[in-house]
């Protein structure tokens, strides 16, 4: 039997996975994967906008939100396996997958390894490249900052990179919500995920093999994965559409939800 609602949970192997599952049972399924170090609530505005027409699932990745860290080592590949196990547990055979940033890394890994499970893919504010040595070094420095000062300083510095300057100066309410999501993540899970991000493999060489429809979204002011990076993926994926969201940084779904949701709905119309 299907359970529905917000922040319900299911045991999947070593994890209690927390997730939101709304919308008609027989409708096409969209699964949302959040960025780092956030949780499924970052997709609330998309869930609300889509749930009348689609079955919408948004879950907390291992060690984030209300999902346990479990006992396995954190890696992007493990997160992709967790997703497939979760889909099996809630009996979803096929879905459209939508991931933002780290969620996009997980989505690319899942689509590459379990191609038959996905009808379409949405890559938001993400990239296919692995970390450069400089990026890895920066991540190790942020681990040192967390160990020395705790989460608050790290959270405040992250906000400046996640949001567009205009969102920051307007003081949109999503800034406080995102800070709370970061502060809610345990220090241990945060550090394990930073290592997983630093160790992730390049997926660019596999992009030309993706044959399902792909929507690539980037916030125009994204400093972490700028539109130029999205453009490169667009060139490499045959059936892809690129959409740049105005008035948005790295968290395009939160900073300009109306435009973001419009693009999702338009894309779904081309898939189903
Ligand atoms: C995210 O938003 O998930 C992160 O920026 C990903 C990353 O640090 O590579």
């Amino acid at each position: 039997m299907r359970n529905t609602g917000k922040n319900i949970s299911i045991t999947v192997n070593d994890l209690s996975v927390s997730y939101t599952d709304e919308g008609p049972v027989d409708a096409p399924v969209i699964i949302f994967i959040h960025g780092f170090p956030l949780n499924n609530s970052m997709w609330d505005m998309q869930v609300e906008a889509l749930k009348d027409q689609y079955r919408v699932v948004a879950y907390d990745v291992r060690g984030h939100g209300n999902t346990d860290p479990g006992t396995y080592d954190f890696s992007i590949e493990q997160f992709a396996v967790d997703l497939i196990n979760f889909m099996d547990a809630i009996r979803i055979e096929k879905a459209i997958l939508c991931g933002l940033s780290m969620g996009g890394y997980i989505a690319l890994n899942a689509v590459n390894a379990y191609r038959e499970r996905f009808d379409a893919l949405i890559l938001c504010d993400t990239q296919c490249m692995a970390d450069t040595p400089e990026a890895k070094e920066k991540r190790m420095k942020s681990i040192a900052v967390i160990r020395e000062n705790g989460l608050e300083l790290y959270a405040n510095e992250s906000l400046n990179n996640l949001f567009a300057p205009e969102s920051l100066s307007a003081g949109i309410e999503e800034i406080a919500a995102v800070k709370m999501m970061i502060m809610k993540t345990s220090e241990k899970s945060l550090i394990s995920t930073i290592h997983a991000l630093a160790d992730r493999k390049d997926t660019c060489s596999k992009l030309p093999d993706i044959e399902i429809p792909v929507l690539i979204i980037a916030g125009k002011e994204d400093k972490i994965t700028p539109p130029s990076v999205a453009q490169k993926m667009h060139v490499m994926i045959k059936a892809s559409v690129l959409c740049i969201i105005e008035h948005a940084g790295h968290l395009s779904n939160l900073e300009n939800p109306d435009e973001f949701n419009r693009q999702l709905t338009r894309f779904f119309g081309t898939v189903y």
Side-chain angles (χ1 to χ4, degrees):
M1 213 197 58
R2 176 188 174 210
N3 283 330
T4 54
K6 268 186 176 305
N7 295 314
I8 49 180
S9 67
I10 188 165
T11 301
V12 186
N13 298 338
D14 67 329
L15 294 183
S16 167
V17 177
S18 177
Y19 67 107
T20 290
D21 188 346
E22 310 246 37
V25 68
D26 50 356
V29 184
I30 301 144
I31 300 179
F32 287 99
I33 319 176
H34 60 79
F36 168 78
L38 309 182
N39 60 55
N40 86 68
S41 67
M42 71 164 277
W43 297 111
D44 281 355
M45 286 189 275
Q46 284 65 49
V47 172
E48 273 312 303
L50 297 166
K51 70 180 187 190
D52 289 342
Q53 254 189 298
Y54 299 94
R55 177 174 175 190
V56 198
V57 175
Y59 72 101
D60 293 340
V61 172
R62 182 183 286 268
H64 294 73
N66 293 318
T67 293
D68 293 341
T71 51
Y72 303 160
D73 287 346
F74 283 26
S75 68
I76 300 299
E77 289 87 350
Q78 180 60 51
F79 294 161
V81 171
D82 289 342
L83 164 66
I84 300 299
N85 290 336
F86 168 62
M87 286 172 68
D88 290 344
I90 61 169
R91 300 207 169 88
I92 291 176
E93 182 52 38
K94 271 200 142 189
I96 294 185
L97 197 53
C98 176
L100 185 138
S101 200
M102 176 181 78
Y105 309 158
I106 299 169
L108 278 170
N109 269 267
V111 166
N112 287 333
Y114 306 91
R115 201 144 294 216
E116 69 291 350
R117 303 296 296 268
F118 303 101
D119 286 324
L121 174 64
I122 305 164
L123 297 170
C124 318
D125 300 283
T126 192
Q127 60 182 333
C128 57
M129 286 170 291
D131 271 8
T132 59
E134 295 73 34
K136 283 185 205 276
E137 204 180 309
K138 226 168 129 193
R139 292 203 199 267
M140 296 313 120
K141 283 196 181 132
S142 63
I143 291 179
V145 168
I146 295 166
R147 288 213 164 107
E148 260 169 52
N149 307 289
L151 281 190
E152 182 132 30
L153 179 63
Y154 174 78
N156 288 336
E157 283 175 0
S158 300
L159 295 176
N160 287 326
N161 290 323
L162 291 169
F163 287 95
E166 71 175 280
S167 304
L168 290 167
S169 55
I172 58 170
E173 64 190 37
E174 285 71 23
I175 299 170
V178 166
K179 182 169 175 182
M180 267 177 52
M181 290 185 222
I182 301 175
M183 301 290 295
K184 192 173 183 274
T185 316
S186 78
E187 202 172 301
K188 189 160 182 277
S189 289
L190 213 111
I191 291 172
S192 300
T193 311
I194 294 176
H195 281 293
L197 291 166
D199 292 342
R200 77 182 191 281
K201 298 188 185 62
D202 179 290
T203 48
C204 301
S205 63
K206 303 225 172 87
L207 295 184
D209 300 337
I210 298 179
E211 283 172 350
I212 53 177
V214 179
L215 171 63
I216 302 171
I217 292 181
K220 194 170 177 195
E221 311 298 330
D222 185 345
K223 288 176 258 180
I224 299 174
T225 45
S228 56
V229 163
Q231 169 67 29
K232 281 190 191 139
M233 293 196 292
H234 172 48
V235 170
M236 293 174 83
I237 305 177
K238 283 184 284 289
S240 67
V241 178
L242 173 65
C243 167
I244 306 299
I245 307 272
E246 302 277 338
H247 312 294
H250 192 57
L251 300 178
S252 52
N253 72 308
L254 288 174
E255 298 181 75
N256 192 346
D258 290 346
E259 182 55 22
F260 188 96
N261 293 351
R262 216 178 347 265
Q263 293 301 333
L264 288 195
T265 309
R266 193 198 47 73
F267 178 66
F268 297 150
T270 68
V271 176
Y272 294 117

